[in-house]
Amino acid sequence: MNMDDFEHKLQRQPLRQVPAGWREEILAAAEVNRRNRPVREFTFAAATFRRLRSTLNAQLSAILWPHPKAWAGLAAVWVVILAADFSVRDKSPVMAEKSAPPSPEVMVELKQQQRMLVELIGLRDTRAADRAKPLVPQPRSERAEILMT
Amino acid sequence: MWHDPPSPASARQKPELERLYDGHAQALYAFLLNLTRDEADTRDLLQDLFVKLAREEQMLNGVRDERAFLIRLAHNAAIDLMRRRGTRAKTRDQFAAEIISPFAPAGNPDEQTFRAGLAGALAGLPAEQRAVVHLKLWEGLTFERIAEALDIPLNTAASRYRYGLDKLRERLRPLYEEIK
């Protein structure tokens, strides 16, 4: 792209010079930090993650900033709903844990009922056996003898 | 304007940080000042950048274009700062009586008026257009290097420059015609 006169005119405008005193101060600050640097090494992934997080923060703050009170109210409502949900959810296992083991009387009663059940089942089996057809020999048919003769 | 970094022979005689400062601080300063329009912020950002370079010595290993890499770091830091400031900065800017100019003062009153007008017109550009215009006009970078430095597609760099320049042209036309 060729530059026109206007662009050349802009290009010729000299920029402000960096203040001379900054060099010593900035390099001194950098040197102090070099001595106290953390062990962690810089990685591209970490830089990308930091940038992503920063962008996300910026985007979120741009969305939330226009009505901070409304968003704070909504967040508070959600916190209340979640707290109520957790308090209800927490009770059920506690109730299950706290239920007392059956008393000896109940155990005796249960065993008695179990025994009755076994007897009843045994009785039903016997009746069923009674009802089964007895294998009594029946008189033989004489039709076969007639045919033979 | 683009200044080549010092030659490797002279660079070897200086500690790494000093070499980086002498080679790039002026360009980074002008770029950051044009973005932030605040000298204190520019100072903080420049110092943070050099502190980061000091703490993470491996950062520049394998970087083939030091200037583009440093501009990218500076740009990201400036954008982060401006986003954090957000509404507060916009309000402050609206009430600010004086725009901090990234240009050197001129002896000639006409030139001084033009530079003040240019500083105002640049301040009116969105930050992303201002960054591209700055790197193209005053750093002399090609669109390829601008795209690399700002991590944007080549066409985006070119279109941002065109839009930015059109706005500057429109705003500065009366002044430009007057002093041409």
Side-chain angles (χ1 to χ4, degrees):
Chain A
M1 184 191 282
N2 291 325
M3 289 192 170
D4 59 21
D5 288 347
F6 178 72
E7 285 170 282
H8 283 298
K9 169 79 179 162
L10 298 187
Q11 208 173 29
R12 282 196 300 273
Q13 304 305 315
L15 294 167
R16 194 185 284 262
Q17 293 294 301
V18 58
W22 287 16
R23 187 179 187 278
E24 296 308 315
E25 292 167 14
I26 288 176
L27 289 176
E31 196 56 43
V32 167
N33 276 277
R34 186 211 296 275
R35 285 194 215 107
N36 303 332
R37 73 165 173 230
V39 179
R40 181 181 59 85
E41 290 293 330
F42 175 82
T43 60
F44 183 72
T48 309
F49 175 72
R50 275 204 296 272
R51 217 173 67 196
L52 196 70
R53 196 177 55 187
S54 157
T55 309
L56 189 69
N57 281 347
Q59 295 294 334
L60 276 177
S61 57
I63 293 167
L64 299 179
W65 180 247
H67 307 288
K69 282 181 185 169
W71 288 109
L74 190 63
V77 169
W78 270 107
V79 168
V80 169
I81 290 170
L82 284 174
D85 183 49
F86 274 112
S87 62
V88 169
R89 197 183 294 172
D90 281 348
K91 277 181 184 167
S92 25
V94 171
M95 281 171 70
E97 281 167 18
K98 281 183 180 171
S99 59
S103 64
E105 291 83 10
V106 174
M107 290 299 285
V108 170
E109 187 67 26
L110 274 173
K111 280 184 181 168
Q112 209 167 3
Q113 281 183 2
Q114 232 170 357
R115 215 176 298 125
M116 276 174 68
L117 188 66
V118 168
E119 282 171 13
L120 283 169
I121 291 168
L123 193 61
R124 189 180 290 170
D125 285 347
T126 319
R127 281 179 186 169
D130 287 348
R131 258 190 267 119
K133 230 175 185 177
L135 290 168
V136 181
Q138 294 292 313
R140 291 176 64 186
S141 168
E142 290 177 355
R143 195 180 290 170
E145 288 172 12
I146 293 165
L147 283 172
M148 291 290 284
T149 55
Chain B
M1 193 37 93
W2 174 261
H3 301 290
D4 284 327
S7 66
S10 64
R12 258 181 253 120
Q13 293 162 6
K14 284 184 187 177
E16 179 69 359
L17 267 186
E18 288 184 28
R19 181 189 71 78
L20 288 171
Y21 190 94
D22 294 340
H24 306 288
Q26 173 57 44
L28 295 171
Y29 166 78
F31 180 61
L32 287 170
L33 189 62
N34 202 352
L35 283 182
T36 63
R37 293 311 173 98
D38 187 304
E39 195 151 59
D41 284 344
T42 299
R43 166 81 164 72
D44 291 343
L45 289 169
L46 196 61
Q47 179 165 314
D48 287 350
L49 196 151
F50 277 89
V51 164
K52 192 182 271 189
L53 288 170
R55 289 166 76 113
E56 293 156 7
E57 286 172 342
Q58 312 301 316
M59 196 188 269
L60 285 168
N61 285 1
V63 171
R64 63 186 168 83
D65 188 343
E66 242 175 32
R67 177 66 64 88
F69 182 79
L70 293 174
I71 283 174
R72 182 194 285 205
L73 289 182
H75 179 253
N76 290 342
I79 295 294
D80 281 352
L81 179 79
M82 287 191 282
R83 280 178 181 159
R84 279 203 302 274
R85 296 270 167 87
T87 312
R88 273 186 295 143
K90 276 180 202 159
T91 314
R92 191 193 61 190
D93 285 352
Q94 281 164 4
F95 289 101
E98 188 188 355
I99 297 166
I100 295 168
S101 172
F103 301 105
N108 181 335
D110 285 345
E111 278 298 327
Q112 185 56 38
T113 307
F114 183 77
R115 283 181 200 176
L118 176 56
L122 276 169
L125 295 183
E128 59 268 25
Q129 288 177 13
R130 205 186 316 160
V132 174
V133 167
H134 180 98
L135 295 176
K136 179 75 181 153
L137 288 177
W138 293 290
E139 281 299 317
L141 299 190
T142 60
F143 287 128
E144 285 86 358
R145 289 184 78 192
I146 292 172
E148 191 184 342
L150 302 183
D151 198 16
I152 54 175
L154 181 68
N155 289 339
T156 306
S159 63
R160 281 182 187 174
Y161 177 72
R162 201 174 56 247
Y163 289 132
L165 193 70
D166 286 348
K167 285 180 197 167
L168 293 181
R169 204 188 299 274
E170 194 178 327
R171 278 198 62 177
L172 293 170
R173 184 171 289 137
L175 274 173
Y176 179 62
E177 294 296 331
E178 199 175 305
I179 64 169
K180 195 164 69 171

